Amino acid sequence: MEKKYHIITLGCQKNEYDSQLIAALLKSMGYESTGKIEECDILVINTCCIRNKADVKVYGRLGQYRELKSANPDLITIVSGCLAEKDGKSLLSRFSNVSLVVGPRNISRIPELVEYVRRTGKRRCAIGLGNMNFEIMPVLRDRAYAAWIPVTEGCDCRCTYCIVPYVRGAMTSRPSEHIVHEAEEFAASGGVEITLLGQNVNAYGTDIPEYGDFGSILEKINAIDGIKRIRFMSPHPRNFSDAFIEKMASLEKVCPHVHLPLQSGDDTILRRMNRRYGTDEYAHIVDKLRSSINDIAITTDIIAGFPGETEEQFSNTMEFVKRMEFDGAFMFAYSEREGTPAVKINPPVPPQERLDRLNRLIALQNDITFAKHRLYEGREAEVLVETVSKKDSEFLTGKTLRKEVVNFTGPENLVGKLVRVRLAKAYTWGFMGEMV
Ligand code: 5AD
Ligand code: SF4
């Protein structure tokens, strides 16, 4: 009988990409994908550990999946990704149902490790942040029209709250010809949208200047026939130059949207976060983006309750958020990550206070997001249709160039296509649209 795998992906787009690599590796071993978790022979949980909530989610799932192992003793459960790197062997001792723990830089070893488990019945932990092996590995995309393509692995930013450098290692740029090759192959197979990925995409090439800079990658992807939309995630304000903005403005396929993590609107907190920019520099980038690129959407990430944050410093963030008028934001309560420098900054903000600040921030930003969406109500937009809506199967859901969510009625065969939609009614989450 055919052997099957099931992959659960948590966390960011980089993890989505890694899951596609894992899928391709398992397929090359003769496994087929199944949507039914009860019938799989290999279960992969590709994990995240950015905040404590992410850890708790994984532990919960692993506990839940003990039953699957009792029902099928031959089941091989693999914990991969960032939490695997962070917690390592302790996952094996804590969860007897886990066979393999595989960190982000050891993914290519999965076939060999699965063979080992099958042969010996023993369990293994493969972690460590050695050099990335950048041979071109095939990916198995679950969507034909959109691709994630990483430009770097790891991160050198060392923001004091962030665990990523410890679980994904130092930044290494991928050879530019690999990136372009992956994009060309995707375009040749009918793909339309590419999202270039990295923890700090615009630091691309600073480690290996021969590869060129991130602007030159955008330029090369822009020249590929068939590609209609180019996105990237995420840039860091400290590497965001005026020259880059001009390059962006000159490339017609690069979408008018930048996700530019702010983290705090207070200069002292930014310094303690080791962000290496101030609110003035951040505001300059936003002004320059808005004056150079028509109708650009700017979204951000913000952390409430960083250690030592006073009420006054938090209100500076609130004021700055009002001033920036972000089109959208992901907002988080600060979460201690053991081993990061911020854990030692005193005094910590009490957890209840972090949540209270977070809620005030969310309420403020939601009003701004809604007001921004109202400005586009009634306009027409090009939408890339992504799926049949999760909430209501009657609707298709897609994204505008500005990356706003649009739900509208239409036939399922439009998935993966670009369509013109009138943004009939604005909501905080996006728009209800009508096909034109
Ligand atoms: N606590 C809360 N939020 C965090 N982020 C990263 N680390 C932490 C942490 N320790 C947020 C940042 C980042 C986003 C991906 O997650 O805002 O941009
Ligand atoms: Fe992505 Fe960071 Fe989560 Fe890892 S820890 S999956 S890099 S968000």
Side-chain angles (χ1 to χ4, degrees):
M1 209 177 72
E2 194 175 67
K3 297 258 183 201
K4 298 192 169 118
Y5 69 85
H6 182 85
I7 303 181
I8 293 165
T9 309
L10 307 168
C12 67
Q13 288 88 348
K14 186 62 207 327
N15 259 18
E16 300 275 352
Y17 177 83
D18 289 348
S19 289
Q20 297 179 348
L21 278 176
I22 296 171
L25 290 167
L26 294 176
K27 186 155 180 151
S28 74
M29 297 179 73
Y31 287 85
E32 285 301 321
S33 163
T34 173
K36 293 193 193 128
I37 191 168
E38 324 74 58
E39 64 174 37
C40 70
D41 305 279
I42 294 188
L43 171 62
V44 182
I45 305 159
N46 198 13
T47 62
C48 171
C49 65
I50 193 84
R51 286 169 290 275
N52 190 50
K53 259 194 194 158
D55 300 21
V56 170
K57 196 170 188 174
V58 178
Y59 300 145
R61 296 257 185 155
L62 290 175
Q64 220 176 304
Y65 298 150
R66 282 182 208 275
E67 277 175 25
L68 297 170
K69 180 78 175 171
S70 325
N72 171 14
D74 290 333
L75 172 69
I76 298 178
T77 299
I78 305 177
V79 181
S80 60
C82 295
L83 186 77
E85 191 68 39
K86 175 165 90 68
D87 288 357
K89 275 200 177 110
S90 73
L91 287 164
L92 293 178
S93 42
R94 194 162 160 192
F95 298 97
S96 58
N97 52 322
V98 173
S99 305
L100 289 171
V101 173
V102 183
R105 295 206 175 197
N106 284 275
I107 285 175
S108 61
R109 293 182 55 200
I110 284 180
E112 159 216 333
L113 292 164
V114 166
E115 275 314 318
Y116 172 86
V117 175
R118 289 217 301 211
R119 205 173 58 241
T120 65
K122 290 187 189 149
R123 305 153 76 210
R124 284 287 290 276
C125 171
I127 58 173
L129 299 174
N131 278 339
M132 228 12 224
N133 168 7
F134 273 130
E135 70 204 274
I136 302 183
M137 293 204 282
V139 292
L140 196 63
R141 294 197 185 92
D142 41 17
R143 306 180 300 174
Y145 59 91
W148 317 111
I149 301 187
V151 298
T152 57
E153 251 314 313
C155 188
D156 287 340
C157 290
R158 303 220 164 244
C159 305
T160 53
Y161 49 81
C162 186
I163 196 159
V164 170
Y166 307 88
V167 293
R168 286 198 176 262
M171 188 190 84
T172 323
S173 297
R174 279 180 86 189
S176 51
E177 68 269 22
H178 287 198
I179 299 167
V180 173
H181 173 88
E182 204 167 314
E184 283 172 344
E185 164 250 27
F186 169 67
S189 69
V192 293
E193 181 180 271
I194 287 180
T195 305
L196 298 167
L197 297 177
Q199 254 73 37
N200 172 4
V201 283
N202 46 359
Y204 176 81
T206 50
D207 54 336
I208 311 174
E210 301 90 273
Y211 292 168
D213 61 6
F214 186 61
S216 73
I217 297 288
L218 283 183
E219 221 164 0
K220 286 177 186 151
I221 308 277
N222 195 72
I224 300 175
D225 281 341
I227 298 302
K228 300 279 196 286
R229 288 180 168 194
I230 303 169
R231 301 186 184 280
F232 54 88
M233 276 196 86
S234 292
H236 190 301
R238 85 172 148 110
N239 298 85
F240 215 97
S241 65
D242 285 4
F244 176 74
I245 297 175
E246 279 146 29
K247 172 68 63 70
M248 230 190 117
S250 74
L251 300 172
E252 73 284 1
K253 295 180 187 173
V254 176
C255 292
H257 169 234
V258 172
H259 183 73
L260 193 66
L262 168 67
Q263 313 301 4
S264 168
D266 179 86
D267 287 316
T268 307
I269 296 294
L270 284 173
R271 213 168 314 120
R272 290 198 195 130
M273 287 176 160
N274 191 32
R275 292 291 288 173
R276 294 186 252 181
Y277 56 83
T279 47
D280 284 351
E281 287 149 290
Y282 189 96
H284 168 81
I285 300 171
V286 169
D287 288 346
K288 172 96 182 156
L289 278 169
R290 289 194 168 136
S291 61
S292 314
I293 301 172
N294 219 359
D295 265 340
I296 190 166
I298 299 176
T299 56
T300 199
D301 289 345
I302 303 170
I303 299 175
F306 183 79
E309 184 187 72
T310 61
E311 179 58 36
E312 194 191 335
Q313 288 165 333
F314 175 70
S315 67
N316 287 339
T317 295
M318 294 284 277
E319 287 309 312
F320 195 69
V321 163
K322 276 186 210 158
R323 198 178 127 204
M324 290 299 104
E325 299 189 323
F326 292 112
D327 295 85
F330 296 111
M331 295 158 278
F332 313 100
Y334 169 74
S335 169
E336 278 93 358
R337 300 286 70 195
E338 212 179 299
T340 61
V343 179
K344 300 205 186 82
I345 300 177
N346 280 311
V349 175
Q352 197 49 49
E353 180 61 27
R354 293 179 211 173
L355 284 180
D356 180 66
R357 289 181 191 172
L358 175 64
N359 288 332
R360 282 188 274 159
L361 183 62
I362 291 174
L364 169 65
Q365 181 57 46
N366 279 352
D367 286 348
I368 299 172
T369 304
F370 181 57
K372 283 257 158 171
H373 286 168
R374 287 287 298 274
L375 298 176
Y376 290 83
E377 205 173 69
R379 291 209 215 174
E380 256 183 45
E382 177 200 272
V383 170
L384 176 59
V385 184
E386 295 182 343
T387 46
V388 176
S389 165
K390 279 180 220 125
K391 289 209 185 89
D392 186 341
S393 62
E394 196 189 315
F395 293 114
L396 299 175
T397 176
K399 302 253 169 63
T400 64
L401 286 167
R402 291 164 37 83
K403 217 178 173 188
E404 296 136 331
V405 174
V406 184
N407 287 352
F408 62 100
T409 332
E412 207 177 324
N413 64 8
L414 288 181
V415 169
K417 303 272 176 352
L418 292 165
V419 295
R420 300 289 304 172
V421 174
R422 200 176 70 87
L423 305 175
K425 188 155 172 48
Y427 296 87
T428 305
W429 56 262
F431 297 92
M432 281 306 303
E434 287 158 7
M435 236 164 87
V436 292

